Amino acid sequence: MTRQRHGHVLTLAGHEYRSAARSGVLVLLVLSMVLVAAGSITIASYDFRAQVADYNAYVQQAKAAGATLTAAPQFFPLQLLRGVIEYIQIIGAVLAIGLGYLSVARERTGRTLPLILTRPVRTRELVLGRLLGAGALIGTILVATAAISIVVIGTVGGRWLSGAELTKLALAFAIGIVYMLLFYALGTWLSARSKVVANGLVVALVIWLSVVLIIPQIGDTMDPDNQVPGGLFAALQVQKPDEKKVLAHFATYERVRNGLEETSLTKHYERLTFAITGVKDKYNGASLGSIAHAKRADIESIVLYMALLSGLMWFALRRENSTRTET
Amino acid sequence: MTVAFMNAIELENLTQRYGDATVLHGIDLTVGQGEIFGFLGHNGAGKTTTIHVLTTLIPASSGTARVCELDVVEERLEVQRTIGYLPENVRLYDSLTAAENLRFFARLSGVEDVPRAIDEALGILDCRELADKRVGTFSKGMRQRIGIAQAILHRPKVLFLDEPTSGLDPMGVRQLRETIVRLNAELGITIFMNTHLLSEVARVCTTIGVLAEGELIYQDSLAQKRFPDEASLEDIYVRLEDR
């Protein structure tokens, strides 16, 4: 019986993948994500190569002049992924909502959900199968994006990633799959709940706008350190311990600002992946264990969102909701 | 293991409410094994709701519904292995071929030899040539045949058809009628069919039930009409509806 249940989940997952692939949606999504990622990473890689070249030129000149070399600057190629991570945050979330919407629209127009639900299939198998299939779809998109990123960093940036860096990159993209899956679940839930499936898409996009753009933007704007390009405290040459002392006077303000950011799934994803890839300087060179410890709250929030959205998706795909047809 | 049963479908005091609206008012209905049952009634009479309860899509508000002596709520998974279902105006997955559509539903039904089941289903419906063509290119009649094929892949004991002739041309209606009779005669499948077409009911069905505003107002074998003076099924229907 368990084997049959696994069989149902895999059948549903394979079907979800095949339907999207056959309709051309997958190719479109892979191309759009790879193109924007390639553009971003190419520009960042050129800049990276220029910085390395500048340093090498300085070393040669210093050696020729017999001068003492200053300490070599640290170059972190994973920081070049910043733009790609931001594209996953913004564009990836929209693509995932679109995938969820298309999945429901396909069942509604084909009137096939009642055919599935009159088979000996449990709702949780249906939800799991769909999430697995969508995970494979999103995985295909992000594996292609990761591959192009690695190649561009190596060829244009002139620095091939080490084993440890590749592990961190893989982890960051794996979290990207989870992040996009959450938006897929949101798109599926709202589309399945709506009498007219397109209405669900509109509501999902409004939520996307709030979660991905508006809330993080408000949080960033309220951040005192963001008032000056390059950072207010850096511009004032205030050291980190003094910065903390200053901010201690604005504890309530900071709590409100941080609380606002905490409501945004996107912010949790950003904080976690920026730490893993070292886009946030202070996590460069840190072990994954220490990053996981420092970012425990973000990990817990993502897990909480997963539970919530899977539950809502389960609710939306129950057999009582299967008799709706698209008008 | 084969279970012997006398009645394919039994409804006892079946009531269905949506909020304040009562759609089915305590229906009692029995359909014998091997029958072709025609369920007649106007739009909104509650025919599709009855099928949704019997096919396990919605739980009844009260009363019981049994298929092959299995309770549709308590023994849902067993009921689902016993029934086939074709909803009204089913389109299936446009981007997949007929065989891919059937493979998907066969696997969900737990069919062991999937290629064989697909081949047999397409053979019964005389449409093997459609197997490798995309469903998106099919006419309504072709879709309907593949729709029935998906419903009989696992050799159900009872087949539910919701307005199966809706949107079909006269040739399609004739083919469907022949198919229904063949499924019943050759495979021994009990057929429960919602329809508006009295002519089809008269030609195909062995028993009928008439539903009006959620109440079953008539049920009988067509061979033993309670209205012996009636000239046609249409007369019975009109008289019942006028009550």
Side-chain angles (χ1 to χ4, degrees):
Chain A
M1 190 63 85
T2 308
R3 204 171 126 197
Q4 193 180 43
R5 278 182 210 161
H6 290 164
H8 283 163
V9 170
L10 291 177
T11 299
L12 289 158
H15 174 73
E16 187 79 2
Y17 191 94
R18 191 177 302 109
S19 299
R22 193 63 67 78
S23 64
V25 170
L26 181 61
V27 175
L28 195 71
L29 298 187
V30 168
L31 277 180
S32 48
M33 201 66 203
V34 164
L35 282 176
V36 294
S40 160
I41 205 100
T42 301
I43 293 166
S45 295
Y46 267 118
D47 186 49
F48 180 80
R49 191 167 71 175
Q51 286 178 39
V52 175
D54 284 349
Y55 174 69
N56 288 338
Y58 153 75
V59 170
Q60 279 187 346
Q61 284 173 359
K63 277 183 181 170
T68 311
L69 290 176
T70 55
Q74 298 249 299
F75 292 116
F76 298 106
L78 285 184
Q79 289 186 330
L80 307 183
L81 292 171
R82 180 182 187 131
V84 177
I85 290 170
E86 286 173 345
Y87 283 136
I88 293 172
Q89 267 178 236
I90 301 167
I91 300 172
V94 178
L95 298 184
I97 286 173
L99 275 176
Y101 158 76
L102 286 174
S103 174
V104 174
R106 194 165 47 236
E107 300 288 1
R108 285 268 186 99
T109 51
R111 305 196 176 202
T112 44
L113 194 56
L115 298 184
I116 296 173
L117 292 176
T118 49
R119 254 78 190 183
V121 177
R122 291 175 165 81
T123 308
R124 62 174 178 270
E125 291 171 340
L126 183 59
V127 172
L128 201 59
R130 282 196 160 184
L131 285 175
L132 203 63
L137 280 168
I138 292 166
T140 304
I141 298 168
L142 292 193
V143 164
T145 309
I148 198 79
S149 302
I150 293 166
V151 170
V152 171
I153 291 172
T155 53
V156 180
R159 164 81 148 74
W160 290 96
L161 299 180
S162 67
E165 287 166 339
L166 283 173
T167 305
K168 286 189 171 181
L169 178 139
L171 188 60
F173 276 86
I175 295 165
I177 293 175
V178 173
Y179 170 77
M180 284 175 66
L181 260 183
L182 292 172
F183 281 95
Y184 166 86
L186 180 74
T188 304
W189 167 53
L190 289 170
S191 302
R193 288 287 299 153
S194 307
K195 277 188 179 168
V196 178
V197 71
N199 291 351
L201 177 66
V202 172
V203 176
L205 289 176
V206 170
I207 293 174
W208 166 83
L209 195 66
S210 309
V211 170
V212 176
L213 295 175
I214 296 175
I215 295 173
Q217 191 59 50
I218 292 172
D220 280 347
T221 307
M222 286 173 71
D223 190 342
D225 201 32
N226 285 347
Q227 303 311 310
V228 173
L232 176 67
F233 295 108
L236 295 173
Q237 296 184 327
V238 174
Q239 297 303 307
K240 210 66 184 173
D242 296 326
E243 179 185 327
K244 283 185 179 170
K245 281 182 195 166
V246 173
L247 287 176
H249 294 285
F250 301 94
T252 306
Y253 175 85
E254 184 58 17
R255 203 173 298 125
V256 171
R257 188 193 72 78
N258 191 55
L260 199 61
E261 283 193 346
E262 293 275 332
T263 61
S264 168
L265 167 66
T266 300
K267 209 64 193 174
H268 292 294
Y269 165 71
E270 182 188 285
R271 287 173 178 178
L272 187 56
T273 48
F274 275 14
I276 290 168
T277 53
V279 171
K280 273 279 180 197
D281 282 329
K282 72 173 181 178
Y283 295 102
N284 262 318
S287 69
L288 286 175
S290 61
I291 291 171
H293 181 71
K295 293 292 164 191
R296 196 175 145 188
D298 295 309
I299 295 168
E300 285 172 353
S301 298
I302 289 172
V303 171
L304 197 69
Y305 274 109
M306 276 174 74
L308 176 70
L309 284 168
S310 301
L312 290 173
M313 205 172 141
W314 175 86
F315 184 75
L317 294 177
R318 282 189 316 171
R319 52 201 72 242
E320 288 87 336
N321 293 318
S322 69
T323 49
R324 287 195 179 115
T325 50
E326 183 60 347
T327 49
Chain B
M1 188 179 71
T2 320
V3 180
F5 55 89
M6 294 299 289
N7 290 324
I9 293 164
E10 293 166 286
L11 301 179
E12 279 180 34
N13 199 23
L14 186 77
T15 300
Q16 186 65 36
R17 295 183 202 90
Y18 294 113
D20 294 335
T22 303
V23 181
L24 298 174
H25 299 269
I27 292 181
D28 293 308
L29 172 73
T30 307
V31 177
Q33 187 186 355
E35 301 275 9
I36 301 179
F37 180 77
F39 207 27
L40 291 160
H42 287 307
N43 284 338
K47 304 189 300 293
T48 298
T49 300
T50 307
I51 278 198
H52 285 166
V53 171
L54 284 165
T55 54
T56 75
L57 285 170
I58 53 171
S61 304
S62 64
T64 57
R66 298 170 74 82
V67 176
C68 298
E69 301 192 339
L70 299 164
D71 188 284
V72 295
V73 177
E74 302 291 326
E75 296 158 290
R76 180 172 66 78
L77 294 178
E78 279 308 309
V79 169
Q80 288 170 335
R81 290 188 186 98
T82 309
I83 63 168
Y85 174 43
L86 179 70
E88 187 179 1
N89 293 323
V90 71
R91 291 184 55 87
L92 303 168
Y93 298 105
D94 279 352
S95 62
L96 304 183
T97 65
E100 286 170 335
N101 269 281
L102 295 178
R103 194 172 301 129
F104 173 60
F105 291 114
R107 285 181 179 154
L108 290 184
S109 298
V111 171
E112 288 190 4
D113 190 346
V114 172
R116 188 177 161 186
I118 293 172
D119 186 63
E120 284 179 359
L122 291 174
I124 290 166
L125 290 149
D126 199 21
C127 57
R128 283 199 175 99
E129 73 284 359
L130 300 179
D132 297 321
K133 292 178 180 161
R134 283 199 182 197
V135 168
T137 64
F138 287 1
S139 67
K140 168 83 183 169
M142 291 170 173
R143 278 179 205 272
Q144 201 72 337
R145 280 198 276 170
I146 302 302
I148 294 177
Q150 66 77 31
I152 61 166
L153 279 166
H154 52 298
R155 295 298 174 94
K157 292 189 175 75
V158 183
L159 179 60
F160 293 93
L161 305 172
D162 195 357
E163 303 287 356
T165 51
S166 168
L168 292 181
D169 59 25
M171 188 57 79
V173 172
R174 172 180 281 188
Q175 282 177 344
L176 183 82
R177 189 194 311 141
E178 290 167 358
T179 302
I180 290 170
V181 171
R182 197 141 37 96
L183 290 174
N184 178 255
E186 293 176 14
L187 302 181
I189 298 176
T190 304
I191 312 277
F192 185 105
M193 180 169 69
N194 279 357
T195 184
H196 286 101
L197 294 182
L198 289 168
S199 57
E200 292 313 308
V201 170
R203 286 181 188 185
V204 173
C205 295
T206 53
T207 52
I208 62 164
V210 180
L211 198 64
E213 294 174 3
E215 290 184 31
L216 188 70
I217 55 172
Y218 181 72
Q219 187 200 351
D220 213 341
S221 161
L222 284 181
Q224 301 166 338
K225 290 174 195 163
R226 272 192 276 162
F227 296 82
D229 59 318
E230 242 72 44
S232 70
L233 179 61
E234 187 174 332
D235 294 330
I236 298 174
Y237 186 74
V238 170
R239 179 174 285 195
L240 289 166
E241 285 285 307
D242 285 345
R243 277 182 183 176

